[in-house]
Amino acid sequence: MSKLYLVPTPIGNLRDITFRALEILGSVNLILAEDTRQAKKLLNHYNISTPLQSHHLFNEHKSVESVCSKILSGQTIALVSDAGTPGISDPGFLLVRTCLEHEIPVETLPGPTALIPALVNSGLPCDRFCFEGFLPPKKGRNKRLTSLASETRTMVFYESPYRLVKTLQEFALHFGPEREASVSRELTKIFEENIRGSLTFLSEYYTAKTPKGEIVIVVAGSK
Ligand code: SAM
């Protein structure tokens, strides 16, 4: 039966992909990709020649209905994002919702995502946690930080290297300078780095050493 597959792809190391993900990418009629050039690198590496179509934040509202029509007419389609799990701070949610409205089966494969290795590596409690993704850059940012000050679960954030120090300083203001945290940079890549310490220590560390690459911040919950 035709369906939509959501297929996680590596967050850095091309070998972090499951046998089943490769099987599905090689057997579907069409792969929807956030960036077709990025997807091609992965597909070429694994000699997969399935047709690609672009599906990103700026065209997904327009394209979801036609994607659903294709599946309803018998095609099986896979969605991939640039890295990690589609739908996690990446396009995916709207397509899943629309497929479900049309009673199209949706299957999400388990696989790479940046938040889980960062959380487990942090050494902070991971029995309960909340994923906050990217904080709003301006509007609503302060309100979100104020509401998170009383959060007791470990918190996971995505951040860009350009904003890391500012964000750590804001966390210190809202959560307290001694709150424990961890910064994971370039997970699964050659220069992977996991630095743990108080928010003050981390903001001083990255003030002295300008961060590069992709970053996850994990912050202990309030006691
Ligand atoms: N869908 C992805 C996932 O499942 O993790 C997230 C996509 S989001 C657009 C990209 C953000 O994820 C980056 O800015 C960074 O915060 C985080 N990220 C992705 N790859 C990473 C890596 N290798 N190391 C650390 N953080 C990473």
Side-chain angles (χ1 to χ4, degrees):
M1 189 190 188
S2 58
K3 60 160 80 168
L4 172 72
Y5 284 104
L6 280 88
V7 181
T9 55
I11 59 165
N13 189 325
L14 280 187
R15 286 151 54 99
D16 288 333
I17 186 143
T18 65
F19 293 124
R20 194 153 77 94
L22 293 175
E23 257 167 42
I24 287 170
L25 292 176
S27 64
V28 293
N29 302 102
L30 178 68
I31 299 172
L32 302 174
E34 192 182 2
D35 177 348
T36 51
R37 284 165 308 176
Q38 182 74 14
K40 252 196 195 119
K41 284 186 209 160
L42 178 75
L43 299 182
N44 286 343
H45 185 81
Y46 287 104
N47 292 320
I48 293 172
S49 53
T50 306
L52 280 165
Q53 184 182 304
S54 119
H55 180 91
H56 47 67
L57 274 184
F58 308 104
N59 71 5
E60 65 172 348
H61 279 270
K62 270 196 188 154
S63 68
V64 281
E65 287 298 341
S66 76
V67 171
C68 288
S69 307
K70 282 187 178 139
I71 303 176
L72 289 169
S73 74
Q75 293 197 23
T76 287
I77 293 185
L79 174 68
V80 299
S81 63
D82 283 354
T85 300
I88 301 298
S89 299
D90 265 339
F93 166 72
L94 186 67
L95 185 57
V96 170
R97 278 294 284 258
T98 314
C99 282
L100 296 177
E101 277 162 20
H102 289 282
E103 298 186 6
I104 292 170
V106 174
E107 188 172 335
T108 301
L109 271 63
T113 187
L115 71 118
I116 297 296
L119 170 69
V120 177
N121 243 319
S122 71
L124 296 167
C126 45
D127 49 343
R128 295 171 69 231
F129 67 93
C130 62
F131 174 60
E132 288 293 319
F134 291 100
L135 282 169
K138 288 196 179 98
K139 198 167 168 272
R141 187 175 175 94
N142 229 34
K143 199 173 163 198
R144 180 79 55 89
L145 286 168
T146 305
S147 78
L148 288 173
S150 55
E151 174 58 63
T152 55
R153 294 170 295 179
T154 300
M155 299 174 275
V156 185
F157 301 87
Y158 284 170
E159 190 49 287
S160 93
Y162 312 107
R163 260 201 291 256
L164 176 65
V165 170
K166 182 176 164 271
T167 298
L168 289 169
Q169 289 167 347
E170 285 177 317
F171 284 174
L173 271 179
H174 283 84
F175 309 153
E178 294 311 315
R179 184 81 72 97
E180 287 299 303
S182 163
V183 173
S184 290
R185 211 172 54 76
E186 298 288 82
L187 287 163
T188 79
K189 303 185 196 175
I190 297 171
F191 297 108
E192 171 168 345
E193 175 184 74
N194 295 274
I195 306 288
R196 305 166 186 88
S198 69
L199 288 170
T200 304
F201 167 80
L202 289 169
S203 66
E204 285 170 4
Y205 179 93
Y206 284 110
T207 302
K209 182 184 181 228
T210 306
K212 283 191 195 140
E214 301 197 276
I215 287 166
V216 183
I217 312 174
V218 183
V219 184
S222 166
K223 291 216 167 97

